[in-house]
Amino acid sequence: MTEKSISRAVIKRLPRYYRYLGELMENGIVRISSMELSERMKVTASQIRQDFNNFGGFGQQGYGYNVEYLYKEIGMILGLESTHNVIIIGAGNVGRALANYSDFNKRGFVFTAIFDNNPKLWEENIGSCKVQPVDMLEEYVREHKVEIAALTLPKESAPQVAAKLVNLGVKAIWNFAPTDLNLPEDVLVENVHLAESLMRLSFRIKESGI
Ligand code: NAI
């Protein structure tokens, strides 16, 4: 598989395929044609075929796609075959929501620790983690394998905490703070901004005249 040459647009669609295929598996569906998948997902069958051709097709003429096989292959492409340790910095509304949401765990994202600078929150259990003082962050990262750090703290503190994490060797940041992080190129940053999504919806409401 030559994942490096696959366009970002295709990669962006893979989690959605993965989710649909997971649901099909839960419903006991063993195989599906690109036409059926297309109807369910509201993506054209040719788009589906084109997307899957990037990875060598997966399908068989006259049979369609083996749902479990495709699910596992896409999971592997997305790096979901192994678990990912995630720490959370900021135990407020957003940090709590993440830590309490058990579905991430099912997908292999394991929240291993949560940090905050508010002493009132220390020792509180959130999900499967106990809130630790942010001063413990350095020691924790040195002693544990931390793949992803979720930043759920105010935007004023996010750049400094991100830089510290990067200095400690963390290579992937899941950034919820509404600020652009200026980090070295080899650090992967995935920004999540619900407000931007809402603004896009607002634009579409305006555009459609409803
Ligand atoms: P919050 O105020 O409930 O929680 C923030 C937590 O961070 C607090 O517990 C605070 O003690 C802690 N904190 C502050 N400075 C810190 C530091 N230097 N080190 C460690 N902990 C520190 O805020 P909320 O509602 O959870 O929002 C968190 C962030 O997420 C904010 O930047 C907010 O703008 C952003 N946000 C992003 C959304 C998105 O779609 N990406 C949606 C909602 C909020």
Side-chain angles (χ1 to χ4, degrees), residues 89-96 115-119 121 133-134 151-158 160-161 175-179 191-196:
I89 333 292
N93 298 308
V94 178
R96 268 160 212 275
F115 298 88
D116 203 286
N117 67 354
N118 180 353
L121 303 179
V134 75
L151 297 185
T152 53
L153 70 176
K155 69 173 181 181
E156 294 74 22
S157 318
Q160 189 202 344
V161 172
N175 177 37
F176 287 78
T179 185
N191 295 302
V192 183
H193 295 319
L194 299 182
E196 291 181 8

